């Protein structure tokens, strides 16, 4: 994995990718845990510190706690306790555990109207601090490419896609459309 983006970015990328999808594929966390196992508890902590410095500390905390809980990844007890002290980390862990334990992938991929993704989407707003991040994430959800493809606007009105996309997405999640 290091050949593509270099050692400094591999773990932050893996943590961020898994977290943004709620770790719904067990393979992702198993791969991260397998890589970290070779580094030992001190290496896992160092990778967390690097990810935190890169701005994805909460993503890393979620991944490390998930790997510890599900796969027995050895973490230093003091470090594990440090991660677990943060209520956001504990919430992110619960969301990931519920996502892995449920029918998230089957339902979400089977229907664009599935509401199984809501906890993951809301947890995604907690992955980084700051209103700017949260605003960009909400904007990304509102600018859904499915909505752009299914609801063409007249030329010059493309700036309305985020507003209409947000309304359409909200309608789907509330079960008001598409059933």
């Amino acid at each position: 994995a290091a050949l593509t983006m270099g050692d400094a970015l591999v773990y932050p990328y893996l943590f961020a990718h898994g977290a943004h999808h709620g770790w719904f594929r067990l393979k992702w966390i198993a791969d991260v845990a397998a890589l970290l196992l070779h580094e030992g508890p001190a290496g896992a902590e160092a990778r967390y510190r690097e990810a935190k410095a890169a701005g994805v500390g909460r993503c890393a905390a979620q991944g490390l706690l998930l790997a510890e809980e599900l796969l027995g990844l050895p973490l230093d007890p003091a470090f594990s306790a440090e991660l677990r002290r943060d209520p956001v980390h504990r919430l992110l862990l619960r969301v990931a555990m519920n996502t892995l334990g449920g029918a998230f992938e089957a339902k979400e991929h089977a229907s664009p109207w599935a509401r199984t993704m809501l906890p993951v989407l809301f947890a995604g707003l907690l992955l980084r601090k700051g209103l700017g991040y949260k605003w960009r994430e909400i904007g990304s959800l509102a600018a859904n490419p499915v909505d752009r493809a299914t609801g063409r606007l007249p030329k010059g009105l493309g700036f309305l896609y985020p507003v209409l996309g947000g309304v359409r997405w909200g309608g789907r999640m509330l079960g008001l459309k598409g059933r």
Side-chain angles (χ1 to χ4, degrees):
L3 299 175
T4 304
M5 62 182 65
D7 286 342
L9 295 177
V10 170
Y11 284 98
Y13 169 79
L14 292 173
F15 287 133
H17 179 265
H20 278 277
H21 294 284
W23 296 98
F24 76 89
R25 291 204 171 131
L26 183 60
K27 180 188 181 328
W28 295 341
I29 195 63
D31 288 347
V32 169
L35 289 169
L36 288 169
L37 189 61
H38 296 290
E39 300 197 20
E45 184 173 349
R47 295 304 185 171
Y48 166 76
R49 306 277 180 226
E50 293 165 4
K52 188 173 180 181
V56 292
R58 287 179 171 175
C59 300
Q62 182 190 39
L64 290 170
L65 291 173
L66 190 61
E68 179 186 42
E69 198 141 315
L70 280 180
L71 305 170
L73 179 70
L75 298 178
D76 180 87
F79 173 60
S80 179
E82 173 191 333
L83 294 179
R84 290 175 188 279
R85 269 193 295 276
D86 187 323
V88 173
H89 294 171
R90 292 192 309 269
L91 174 64
L92 292 172
L93 174 61
R94 272 196 317 276
V95 168
M97 292 290 280
N98 289 338
T99 301
L100 275 168
F104 179 83
E105 184 175 11
K107 287 183 179 179
E108 189 54 38
H109 289 227
S111 169
W113 300 281
R115 286 171 266 182
T116 56
M117 69 184 286
L118 285 177
V120 173
L121 294 175
F122 290 133
L125 297 175
L126 299 175
L127 291 175
R128 292 186 69 185
K129 296 178 182 178
L131 289 176
Y133 168 76
K134 289 163 183 42
W135 184 249
R136 286 188 303 276
E137 285 295 300
I138 290 169
S140 177
L141 289 172
N144 186 330
V146 172
D147 290 322
R148 286 180 184 252
T150 59
R152 297 268 180 215
L153 289 175
K155 188 175 181 177
L157 295 179
F159 68 92
L160 291 174
Y161 276 118
V163 174
L164 293 175
V167 170
R168 289 175 175 167
W169 180 83
R172 283 195 308 272
M173 293 303 112
L174 293 172
L176 302 175
K177 294 174 57 171
R179 293 205 180 253

